[in-house]
């Protein structure tokens, strides 16, 4: 049984576990698994990147089912603030997924629909399975969501010590902690207008995290994520 507390040992490698508030994933991956969707072009010098090299960001023009239902119910276009609240909630849900458990459940569903000759259901399950595999690849194998290399390249040339950092749109503070780790002794103030970020993503952030020093047992995290 893998423990939620550090330090991990070599005996823990290859294991994964879902705790109450975060995921532990110490699995390793083969080259075939890493190249399941595309071959990564590792960037060695971020300062030389251009839009010509990377391509323009993909623009999503379709609206989600939740947004359509909200606008139909309220009779107006969803405000930006509300859309960000919906985004933060749905984004957070992906981070607390038990990927191995969900993949096993999808496999059971697929076998059941195959045996019952239900092609529409088979396509639907395959779609959910592909989405889950892609998320697992980007987030857990390639660390493409919280990849710190770009931010490090932006700030590593600054000649500062013990800086005071104001981070706007900080969410749960993961990226702010990356900056604080680059500059020991930094003072960080995090701001976010979304109450969900303050009350859930930040306040429930796991205590056993590499950037955190142990908190006194009688103290709760002090939230500065106010409007």
């Amino acid at each position: 049984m893998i423990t939620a507390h550090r330090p991990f040992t070599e005996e823990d490698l290859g294991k994964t576990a879902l705790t109450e508030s975060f995921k532990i994933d110490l699995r390793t991956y083969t080259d075939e698994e890493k190249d399941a969707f595309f071959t990564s072009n590792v960037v060695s010098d971020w300062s030389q990147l251009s839009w010509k090299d990377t391509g323009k960001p993909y623009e999503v023009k379709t609206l989600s089912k939740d947004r359509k239902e909200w606008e139909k119910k309220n009779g107006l276009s969803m405000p930006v603030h509300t859309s960000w609240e919906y985004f933060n909630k749905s984004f957070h849900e992906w981070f607390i997924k038990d990927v191995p458990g969900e993949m096993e459940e999808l496999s059971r569903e697929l076998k059941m629909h195959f045996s019952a000759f239900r092609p529409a259901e088979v396509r639907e399950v395959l779609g959910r399975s592909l989405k889950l595999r892609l998320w697992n690849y980007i987030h857990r194998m390639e660390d493409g969501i919280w990849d710190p290399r770009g931010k490090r390249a932006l700030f590593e040339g600054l000649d500062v010590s013990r800086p005071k950092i104001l981070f706007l749109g900080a969410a749960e503070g993961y990226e702010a902690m990356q900056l604080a780790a680059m500059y020991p002794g930094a003072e960080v103030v995090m701001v976010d207008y979304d109450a969900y970020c303050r009350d859930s993503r930040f306040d429930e952030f796991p205590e056993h995290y590499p950037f955190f020093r142990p908190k006194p047992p009688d103290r709760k995290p002090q939230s500065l994520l106010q409007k």
Side-chain angles (χ1 to χ4, degrees):
M1 178 67 182
I2 189 172
T3 175
H5 300 272
R6 294 173 292 147
F8 298 116
T9 68
E10 291 186 358
E11 295 180 354
D12 294 316
L13 294 178
K15 299 178 182 178
T16 181
L18 184 67
T19 72
E20 184 177 351
S21 59
F22 64 100
K23 174 83 176 181
I24 300 171
D25 193 342
L26 303 177
R27 291 173 293 173
T28 56
Y29 302 95
T30 65
D31 291 338
E32 289 76 14
E33 289 174 314
K34 289 183 177 181
D35 292 335
F37 296 97
F38 55 86
T39 300
S40 299
N41 182 18
V42 179
V43 177
S44 58
D45 187 352
W46 286 70
S47 67
Q48 300 300 315
L49 282 180
S50 67
W51 286 124
K52 183 179 179 180
D53 299 320
T54 61
K56 292 183 178 180
Y58 179 72
E59 181 181 3
V60 179
K61 297 183 178 180
T62 56
L63 300 181
S64 69
K65 179 181 177 182
D66 289 337
R67 175 164 181 166
K68 290 179 179 178
E69 291 178 350
W70 188 97
E71 292 183 346
K72 182 178 180 181
K73 178 180 178 181
N74 292 275
L76 72 158
S77 179
M78 178 181 282
V80 174
H81 189 168
T82 305
S83 66
W84 271 106
E85 289 179 343
Y86 272 74
F87 170 79
N88 279 320
K89 291 179 181 178
S90 61
F91 192 57
H92 181 70
E93 288 173 357
W94 280 95
F95 284 91
I96 58 177
K97 282 183 175 293
D98 179 8
V99 174
E102 290 200 25
M103 289 299 294
E104 290 181 6
E105 178 60 30
L106 288 172
S107 178
R108 286 192 290 269
E109 286 188 42
L110 191 61
K111 291 177 182 178
M112 179 183 67
H113 294 316
F114 259 124
S115 61
F117 300 101
R118 300 170 182 162
E121 286 80 358
V122 168
R123 286 195 299 270
E124 191 270 337
V125 173
L126 287 175
R128 283 191 286 147
S129 177
L130 180 62
K131 185 184 297 185
L132 192 60
R133 288 181 61 216
L134 182 58
W135 166 258
N136 188 62
Y137 177 87
I138 295 174
H139 175 47
R140 306 198 190 285
M141 293 188 193
E142 294 296 332
D143 194 23
I145 304 299
W146 301 127
D147 191 336
R149 292 174 297 171
K151 295 179 180 64
R152 185 170 65 243
L154 287 173
F155 293 100
E156 64 184 358
L158 295 179
D159 184 17
V160 296
S161 61
R162 302 178 65 86
K164 294 183 178 180
I165 301 171
L166 173 63
F167 202 113
L168 305 179
E172 76 292 309
Y174 183 94
E175 294 165 299
M177 286 187 287
Q178 289 180 344
L179 286 175
M182 290 173 59
Y183 299 103
E187 178 183 341
V188 181
V189 176
M190 298 183 293
V191 180
D192 202 297
Y193 63 76
D194 189 349
Y196 182 78
C197 286
R198 180 187 66 241
D199 301 332
S200 294
R201 291 182 65 180
F202 177 80
D203 205 39
E204 298 174 4
F205 205 81
E207 296 184 13
H208 304 287
Y209 204 78
F211 292 129
F212 276 167
R213 292 187 178 90
K215 292 193 295 291
D218 59 340
R219 285 187 59 191
K220 286 183 64 63
Q222 184 178 11
S223 174
L224 296 176
L225 302 183
Q226 303 294 339
K227 289 185 179 180

